[in-house]
Amino acid sequence: MTAPRSHRSRTVRALLATIAVLLGVIAALVGGILQRLDGDSLPQAIEYGCGVFGATVLFTFAVFYFLGGNGPGNGES
């Protein structure tokens, strides 16, 4: 049986999720702007930015999961 998560743990998780979303927004803006400057139409640049946002957020969550000791090689089965 596992112990319930503390209030501090929930706060840290919320802050990490906020950081992941903010990094995703920044990456999406940069990616969309660069795609638009490359000559694509506005809808294509928005679509590209959405893809960059999703990939960045998923990657950031994976990095946080790994750094939190939940990734492979932590000695638990």
Side-chain angles (χ1 to χ4, degrees):
M1 192 174 235
T2 60
R5 294 188 188 269
S6 68
H7 178 69
R8 182 175 177 171
S9 175
R10 289 183 192 153
T11 303
V12 170
R13 289 176 57 165
L15 289 173
L16 290 176
T18 304
I19 290 170
V21 169
L22 289 175
L23 286 174
V25 167
I26 292 168
L29 286 171
V30 171
I33 289 170
L34 290 176
Q35 197 71 14
R36 181 72 174 133
L37 290 176
D38 196 32
D40 282 349
S41 67
L42 184 60
Q44 287 175 332
I46 292 171
E47 184 178 341
Y48 187 82
C50 290
V52 170
F53 173 81
T56 303
V57 170
L58 287 175
F59 176 74
T60 307
F61 281 155
V63 168
F64 288 156
Y65 183 79
F66 181 77
L67 292 176
N70 300 320
N74 65 352
E76 296 178 15
S77 349

